[in-house]
Amino acid sequence: MIKATDIYAATHDGLDIILYYYPQAEGCVDNKKKFKRRPDEDDASACIKRFQDCYKVTDFGDTATAMSPIDICMTEENLRFNEAIARLAARYNVTDELKRSVNKPDIRKRPATADEKEGSRFFELEERFTPDQLKIMGPRVKQEHVDALHWHVARSISYVKNREVITKYSTPTYPIFMRECTIDKPEPGKPSVFYKIYEPLNPDKQWRFSYTPEGAKPKQYINGMAELRAAYRKFNADEEAEFRRTAKEDEVYKEKKLPEAFICSGERDSMCLRSLGYHPLWFNSETYRVTAEEIKEIYKYVERLYNIPDIDSTGIRKGRELALRFLDIHTVWLPSWLTGYRDQRGKHRKDFRDFVELRPDYRDFQNLLQLAMPARFWDSQWSERSKKTTYSINTAHLHYFLTLNGFYTLHDDNSDTVRYIHIRDSIVRQIKAKDITSFLRQFTVDRFLPVDIRNLILDSPRTSESSLSLLDEIRLDFTSYTPTGQYFFFPDCCWLVTKDGIERHEGMLPDGRSVWESNVIGHKVKVLPPMFEIKRMQDAEGCDRFDIDVKEHQSCFFRYLINTSRIYWRKELEYAWEDKGADEADRYRTEHKFDIAGPLLTADEVAEQKLNLVNKIYAIGYNLHRYKSPSRAWALFAMDNKIGEEDQCNGRSGKSFLFKAFRFFMRTVSLSGRNPKLMDNPHVYDQVDQHTDFILVDDCDRYLSTSLFYDNITSGMTVNPKNNRSFFIEFEDSPKFGFTTNFVPRDFDASTNARLLYMVFSDYYHEKTPENDYLETRTIRDDFGRNLMTATDYTDDDWNQDINFFAQCLQFYLSMAGCGVKVQPPMDNIIKRKYKSDMGGSFEDWAYGYFAQEGDNLNRLIVRKEAYEAFVDFAKVSKAYWTMQRFTKALKGFTEICPYVAEMNPASMQNASERLMRKDKDGKTQDMIYLRTTDKVLTADDFNPKEEDDGGVSF
């Protein structure tokens, strides 16, 4: 038992506690200075002084009575004494932990005598409990209470083994208790009494209970039942004696029941209940399944039966099960604030003894009884006039019954609409009010209840939506991540994925978490060996390089992802076999069907394909981690690697399949990116709420700018639902974004690159059309002979393989996240596509003609305006559309992709303003352009570096 002196010893004689509540008093210790306890005081009137046992505060502006640190805690937090002790003990880590070196019995051995049989057990009992032993049983427990339940203190317990008597003696730090248990109808040859041995301070909890003699305890046995029967008989004997004193001779006494009995969860809970004057019953384990016959017998003796379960996860589950099996049992639920305190061993409080220790007053328990309800939601009344039973629904009991079955309304700060939910084993499903009514109707059928009760369900206003909307509102924690890990949820378990691997958790979710049913992956899983190994290296310039070793695996999704990363597939699978035999080509294609590092590729080509694959693995892992870090606020941006002509939309490369696979792991909202005015819709995020994990903007139009989403990517987002008020989702809770497009981003500036995590897809999967040169159409199904991730074509093993692959992607990402690494794909072709997009077909045709390799416009100064006019005249375009700024941007793109042009406007030719300015033939200063070829070396004849002029138009 933790005492005030224990807390003072851990808090510098209570000074730490005082300064916790009054930090302003720090300069007033051990001197005569005063401080203000209350900010609104005019004058400082409180002082700190060291007393014999601890520091205390005397406030002369209040009671002028010295307050101990515990008094202060009680005052400032409105706690009772025991609650304050528990609160402070938890805050300052004061425990009364059981220790093997201290909490142990005195064990002695001696040779057995001739009359001491092998295997026999015998004991000596003390006459009374000591005060300390009574406190172990409960804060209110007295000798009369342990006597009533036939508890004794064992002075010693001995047993004979190998002709040696081993005796275990009680000590002040290791008491041994024994309860005499009576069997009403013992089996033939079995004793009518056995003893339950209880060692409450045994550090090994599993060894605290034992029974003697061995085999005497029946399989079905309820502790306290014999005492309840005896109390029933005594009660009626007393009542009958009183009745006989006043009754007439022909009057017959009718037996009466006791008012109530209580099912408790253990020995000490039952003792605390008995100390309050009630009759306890308790089972020998949490797994004991009480029978209907046993409950029926209990009701022979009592009018009302209560159950007081623990409020840990097991206790709550068992309490609900019992309440729903036997609808008339009233359940006394301990208050939830109890778990906020810790016991003397530092563990969360959960049981009735904990409650009595913190709230020992009789009236506190009476308050709990006022809230106890049965699960039976209808009342019945016999009418003498109609000679029939009438039924009515009890609304409070109905709502309680529904909560026992997992029906609630969900607390939602962002909506005025009532959201009905059903919870089963931490899995949450959103439902409608009519689903609750259907459940009630089916319940009455399953329980074979009278038709009048079934009609009540259909006809009563108490089962209408207006009444059901008042169901208990619940707050749930749907957090599925930590900063360093992510949970995956399955029907019978969950996985915690970290950088170190996959950890499986059975049964209930950890830390009271809940999960939407849509986020439960409905497949059986087991953890598989790694499917790949990625090594991170650095080159001579300090840049990151990655290599991947693909292990033996059976994941179809991984194989698909490999092929979407094979950007040199045509060289390997087509061009290399143009002059060779078909059989040899087919054999190679079969052997290397899913090979990221084919032997016909160069080392550089293999490295480029591997980087593409590593980037996809990293991006998948990033998106699966629901945790959002401000330093890694990115959106996935998937595009094709193939360079096409202007406005050529390649597609069919498998991008969308990857992104749509995320829906198996998270709540996803899809938006059509084909509409370039998508963001003009004020209700664009109508389907999004705080539980949405991912927003996919699929198949983006070339003119849909990602800049419209920048704020949503790097900060929170405002949602404006139809027919409801708008609300804001903070960054930490807002969904991640992903984009797929057949076009390149319109911008490759620093702001865009900081927000996007690019993904590049090869054209291994493609569509053959008259406009392209593909030899055939190849789809994902063609590679596997079936559709991937479908209910009809996929087995449980297929799902297990793919789920493991996704989890391993996440594991790789988490291993890189702490290093500040962002794995981008090879971008050469994407940059080229960007430049071709900037030019357009007409400009590219003009530029290759105007700056032909054999022409006169290379390696010489040209007036930019004259070149611009030449293009406008050639392409017959509007200057309003093709502005000088766009022309210059296109010219830069041409310079980057033209194989014989090295640079435009060499830096050595520019003036201090980084512009190329020269006088034209008329002596007028103009903006110039100069395209230097790869074989040209600049000389003094090409320019005059001393000639500078800041005039002209920016270019």
Side-chain angles (χ1 to χ4, degrees):
M1 181 71 68
I2 296 174
K3 302 179 178 64
T5 52
D6 299 323
I7 293 175
Y8 294 155
T11 58
H12 299 92
D13 296 326
L15 183 59
D16 294 345
I17 300 172
I18 294 173
L19 295 180
Y20 174 87
Y21 292 105
Y22 308 131
Q24 68 272 25
E26 189 167 2
C28 304
V29 181
D30 295 327
N31 56 42
K32 296 183 179 180
K33 291 183 180 179
K34 291 183 172 60
F35 66 94
K36 294 181 181 181
R37 277 184 62 212
R38 295 166 296 280
D40 57 350
E41 286 183 302
D42 294 331
D43 300 312
S45 58
C47 65
I48 301 175
K49 184 180 178 182
R50 179 72 169 83
F51 284 70
Q52 185 175 358
D53 54 341
C54 63
Y55 282 92
K56 295 184 179 182
V57 172
T58 303
D59 188 353
F60 296 97
D62 192 7
T63 61
T65 301
M67 299 174 65
S68 72
I70 293 177
D71 292 332
I72 292 170
C73 176
M74 293 169 62
T75 299
E76 296 297 335
E77 298 200 42
N78 193 26
L79 300 175
R80 304 182 189 186
F81 179 80
N82 289 345
E83 295 170 349
I85 290 286
R87 178 69 53 84
L88 294 172
R91 183 177 297 158
Y92 296 102
N93 197 29
V94 179
T95 63
D96 188 17
E97 201 78 46
L98 296 179
K99 300 177 182 178
R100 298 180 192 278
S101 59
V102 175
N103 302 105
K104 61 181 181 178
D106 178 12
I107 298 178
R108 306 173 193 176
K109 299 179 180 180
R110 64 171 175 81
T113 62
D115 58 344
E116 291 174 329
K117 295 182 180 180
E118 185 71 18
S120 63
R121 203 172 192 182
F122 47 92
F123 49 84
E124 294 180 279
L125 301 180
E126 300 281 8
E127 290 186 7
R128 297 181 62 83
F129 279 65
T130 68
D132 287 341
Q133 290 167 345
L134 290 172
K135 283 184 179 179
I136 290 173
M137 284 302 223
R140 296 173 54 104
V141 175
K142 298 178 182 178
Q143 184 66 40
E144 63 192 77
H145 303 133
V146 292
D147 289 344
L149 295 180
H150 300 94
W151 279 103
H152 308 276
V153 178
R155 180 182 303 162
S156 66
I157 297 178
S158 303
Y159 62 96
V160 182
K161 183 177 181 181
N162 298 328
R163 304 313 303 149
E164 188 176 48
V165 177
I166 302 170
T167 303
K168 182 187 294 186
Y169 290 89
S170 284
T171 70
T173 57
Y174 196 92
I176 302 173
F177 303 144
M178 297 183 68
R179 195 178 93 82
E180 183 180 331
C181 305
T182 301
I183 304 172
D184 185 39
K185 296 178 181 179
E187 297 179 20
K190 292 290 184 74
S192 61
V193 172
F194 69 93
Y195 288 87
K196 184 171 188 177
I197 302 170
Y198 180 32
E199 303 171 46
L201 301 187
N202 190 330
D204 292 321
K205 192 173 182 180
Q206 68 269 30
W207 303 114
R208 290 180 183 173
F209 296 102
S210 60
Y211 301 90
T212 189
E214 189 173 347
K217 181 181 74 68
K219 185 177 180 180
Q220 288 291 121
Y221 185 81
I222 298 179
N223 293 283
M225 182 69 89
E227 288 81 359
L228 182 65
R229 292 192 196 100
Y232 172 80
R233 289 192 292 267
K234 183 179 184 306
F235 173 72
N236 276 285
D238 293 343
E239 288 289 310
E240 186 174 8
E242 181 64 24
F243 174 81
R244 295 296 177 200
R245 281 195 318 110
T246 59
K248 296 179 181 179
E249 222 176 281
D250 58 342
E251 287 186 291
V252 179
Y253 173 76
K254 293 183 179 180
E255 288 193 338
K256 299 178 182 179
K257 294 182 180 182
L258 295 168
E260 69 280 295
F262 292 79
I263 297 173
C264 300
S265 62
E267 272 63 32
R268 292 198 276 187
D269 281 8
S270 64
M271 283 308 315
C272 288
L273 195 282
R274 183 63 193 177
S275 72
L276 289 166
Y278 296 99
H279 299 288
L281 303 166
W282 70 103
F283 310 135
N284 286 316
S285 71
E286 286 186 310
T287 59
Y288 185 91
R289 185 171 175 83
V290 64
T291 65
E293 290 74 19
E294 289 171 323
I295 294 295
K296 185 177 180 181
E297 183 181 3
I298 294 171
Y299 274 113
K300 288 181 182 178
Y301 311 125
V302 298
E303 294 286 351
R304 180 174 290 184
L305 179 60
Y306 291 91
N307 179 36
I308 313 178
D310 293 348
I311 53 172
D312 59 357
S313 58
T314 302
I316 291 172
R317 185 175 71 254
K318 292 295 182 181
R320 285 176 172 169
E321 288 176 2
L322 190 64
L324 292 173
R325 283 183 65 209
F326 305 104
L327 300 182
D328 287 313
I329 291 180
H330 287 59
T331 306
V332 180
W333 293 106
L334 299 172
S336 58
W337 57 256
L338 187 63
T339 60
Y341 293 89
R342 295 180 183 269
D343 62 20
Q344 64 268 27
R345 298 166 196 170
K347 297 181 179 179
H348 290 287
R349 293 179 180 263
K350 62 171 184 173
D351 57 32
F352 186 61
R353 182 185 182 279
D354 291 324
F355 175 81
V356 175
E357 187 172 305
L358 296 176
R359 298 280 177 92
D361 290 346
Y362 180 79
R363 66 176 181 275
D364 292 318
F365 180 58
Q366 287 297 305
N367 290 337
L368 286 186
L369 291 186
Q370 291 294 322
L371 301 177
M373 287 188 287
R376 186 163 69 91
F377 56 86
W378 65 93
D379 295 327
S380 58
Q381 187 173 4
W382 173 257
S383 172
E384 286 293 338
R385 176 177 296 180
S386 62
K387 301 298 181 183
K388 63 181 293 187
T389 301
T390 58
Y391 300 93
S392 61
I393 287 180
N394 185 309
T395 306
H397 292 177
L398 171 66
H399 286 199
Y400 173 63
F401 169 80
L402 290 172
T403 59
L404 287 174
N405 282 281
F407 293 99
Y408 296 89
T409 60
L410 181 64
H411 179 84
D412 188 351
D413 291 325
N414 300 322
S415 176
D416 297 326
T417 303
V418 176
R419 298 181 68 179
Y420 299 96
I421 59 171
H422 181 242
I423 307 173
R424 175 176 292 176
D425 295 334
S426 303
I427 298 174
V428 183
R429 177 170 59 96
Q430 185 161 335
I431 59 172
K432 298 178 180 178
K434 66 178 184 179
D435 297 321
I436 301 176
T437 306
S438 297
F439 168 81
L440 289 170
R441 186 171 63 247
Q442 188 61 44
F443 174 83
T444 61
V445 173
D446 294 341
R447 288 292 182 104
F448 306 104
L449 298 180
V451 67
D452 289 347
I453 298 178
R454 301 203 296 272
N455 285 330
L456 275 178
I457 301 299
L458 300 173
D459 302 337
S460 174
R462 290 179 172 84
T463 58
S464 66
E465 184 164 359
S466 61
S467 177
L468 294 177
S469 67
L470 300 177
L471 269 174
D472 286 3
E473 187 178 70
I474 190 172
R475 292 176 181 265
L476 297 175
D477 179 9
F478 289 98
T479 306
S480 62
Y481 57 86
T482 69
T484 58
Q486 176 70 46
Y487 287 97
F488 287 163
F489 304 103
F490 305 97
D492 59 343
C493 70
C494 68
W495 287 356
L496 174 60
V497 182
T498 67
K499 66 181 180 63
D500 299 318
I502 302 171
E503 179 182 327
R504 181 184 174 103
H505 293 264
E506 303 291 342
M508 302 287 287
L509 305 186
D511 303 323
R513 286 180 168 87
S514 298
V515 57
W516 286 106
E517 185 180 55
S518 57
N519 282 355
V520 176
I521 305 168
H523 302 283
K524 293 183 178 180
V525 290
K526 63 179 180 180
V527 179
L528 299 177
M531 300 181 184
F532 56 84
E533 180 183 1
I534 299 175
K535 295 179 181 177
R536 177 191 175 203
M537 304 156 287
Q538 289 191 328
D539 60 18
E541 299 177 355
C543 298
D544 286 322
R545 295 289 182 265
F546 295 91
D547 187 38
I548 181 171
D549 179 23
V550 178
K551 308 281 188 182
E552 184 67 30
H553 69 91
Q554 299 298 320
S555 170
C556 295
F557 194 92
F558 189 13
R559 290 171 173 170
Y560 140 80
L561 209 66
I562 288 172
N563 282 346
T564 64
S565 303
R566 297 172 71 177
I567 55 181
Y568 295 105
W569 67 273
R570 297 202 79 171
K571 173 187 175 181
E572 182 184 8
L573 304 181
E574 290 184 0
Y575 303 153
W577 304 98
E578 288 178 347
D579 301 324
K580 298 180 181 178
D583 292 343
E584 187 180 359
D586 289 344
R587 184 165 55 252
Y588 180 90
R589 291 165 185 155
T590 301
E591 292 175 354
H592 300 279
K593 189 173 184 179
F594 304 108
D595 193 350
I596 195 67
L600 297 182
L601 301 179
T602 67
D604 288 342
E605 290 167 342
V606 169
E608 191 173 346
Q609 290 193 159
K610 283 186 173 182
L611 180 56
N612 245 330
L613 179 57
V614 172
N615 158 256
K616 291 186 180 68
I617 289 173
Y618 178 89
I620 289 171
Y622 165 78
N623 210 46
L624 289 176
H625 194 201
R626 187 66 179 85
Y627 173 74
K628 294 187 68 177
S629 168
S631 61
R632 296 193 298 277
W634 309 321
L636 303 187
F637 193 97
M639 49 194 165
D640 296 322
N641 179 71
K642 183 180 179 183
I643 299 175
E645 301 301 321
E646 180 186 17
D647 293 329
Q648 182 177 350
C649 178
N650 296 307
R652 311 299 296 173
S653 59
K655 300 183 299 296
S656 294
F657 177 70
L658 165 60
F659 280 77
K660 290 175 181 177
F662 285 127
R663 72 184 186 275
F664 296 113
F665 299 88
M666 58 186 65
R667 289 169 69 101
T668 300
V669 168
S670 295
L671 304 176
S672 175
R674 285 182 173 272
N675 179 9
K677 296 184 179 181
L678 174 69
M679 297 305 290
D680 292 345
N681 177 7
H683 307 294
V684 63
Y685 296 133
D686 182 60
Q687 303 174 65
V688 176
D689 60 23
Q690 64 269 35
H691 304 293
T692 304
D693 301 313
F694 181 56
I695 296 177
L696 170 61
V697 186
D698 195 27
D699 199 12
C700 293
D701 185 89
R702 68 178 303 174
Y703 297 110
L704 181 66
S705 175
T706 55
S707 63
L708 298 173
F709 300 87
Y710 283 173
D711 288 344
N712 297 150
I713 294 171
T714 57
S715 58
M717 62 187 304
T718 298
V719 177
N720 183 22
K722 294 178 182 177
N723 306 318
N724 214 326
R725 59 187 174 89
S726 63
F727 59 91
F728 184 78
I729 305 177
E730 296 291 345
F731 168 77
E732 294 79 7
D733 301 318
S734 63
K736 291 183 177 180
F737 277 78
F739 301 87
T740 69
T741 182
N742 298 325
F743 307 96
V744 294
R746 299 178 66 182
D747 298 304
F748 268 106
D749 54 77
S751 181
T752 300
N753 292 338
R755 289 174 169 87
L756 299 183
L757 175 55
Y758 297 112
M759 302 172 71
V760 172
F761 283 71
S762 76
D763 60 336
Y764 177 89
Y765 298 111
H766 53 262
E767 186 84 15
K768 174 180 171 58
T769 68
E771 289 77 30
N772 60 43
D773 64 342
Y774 290 126
L775 303 181
E776 81 289 298
T777 293
R778 184 188 292 115
T779 66
I780 299 172
R781 180 185 174 88
D782 294 330
D783 269 353
F784 300 93
R786 54 183 171 148
N787 294 313
L788 303 189
M789 291 186 159
T790 60
T792 54
D793 292 343
Y794 243 40
T795 66
D796 280 343
D797 185 60
D798 291 328
W799 280 110
N800 188 54
Q801 292 281 339
D802 286 352
I803 291 167
N804 269 268
F805 171 69
F806 274 86
Q808 291 174 22
C809 291
L810 175 57
Q811 181 183 349
F812 170 68
Y813 164 74
L814 293 172
S815 71
M816 293 291 105
C819 307
V821 174
K822 183 179 182 181
V823 183
Q824 293 282 32
M827 296 292 289
D828 290 349
N829 266 19
I830 302 303
I831 298 299
K832 289 180 181 179
R833 288 186 67 200
K834 170 65 171 61
Y835 291 140
K836 290 180 74 70
S837 176
D838 289 343
M839 289 188 295
S842 297
F843 183 90
E844 187 174 3
D845 290 342
W846 170 81
Y848 273 111
Y850 190 81
F851 295 105
Q853 193 169 10
E854 66 278 5
D856 299 329
N857 290 333
L858 296 171
N859 300 320
R860 77 179 185 90
L861 291 165
I862 297 174
V863 177
R864 183 177 64 159
K865 185 176 181 182
E866 293 178 0
Y868 171 66
E869 294 291 347
F871 163 68
V872 170
D873 184 61
F874 171 86
K876 303 294 189 290
V877 294
S878 166
K879 289 185 178 181
Y881 179 68
W882 265 96
T883 62
M884 180 63 80
Q885 184 179 11
R886 182 177 179 184
F887 172 79
T888 304
K889 185 177 181 181
L891 196 57
K892 289 180 179 178
F894 172 74
T895 303
E896 293 292 337
I897 68 169
C898 183
Y900 52 81
V901 174
E903 62 179 331
M904 183 176 77
N905 294 0
S908 57
M909 299 179 68
Q910 298 175 16
N911 61 18
S913 300
E914 298 182 350
R915 298 166 62 188
L916 181 55
M917 307 293 294
R918 294 291 186 274
K919 292 182 180 179
D920 61 15
K921 59 185 178 180
D922 298 325
K924 184 179 179 181
T925 301
Q926 298 272 21
D927 277 296
M928 300 286 180
I929 55 177
Y930 185 103
L931 269 61
R932 181 178 70 83
T933 59
T934 54
D935 58 354
K936 170 65 176 176
V937 177
L938 294 175
T939 66
D941 296 333
D942 294 299
F943 62 96
N944 180 6
K946 294 182 180 179
E947 182 178 355
E948 296 185 0
D949 194 318
D950 290 334
V953 181
S954 175
F955 131 86

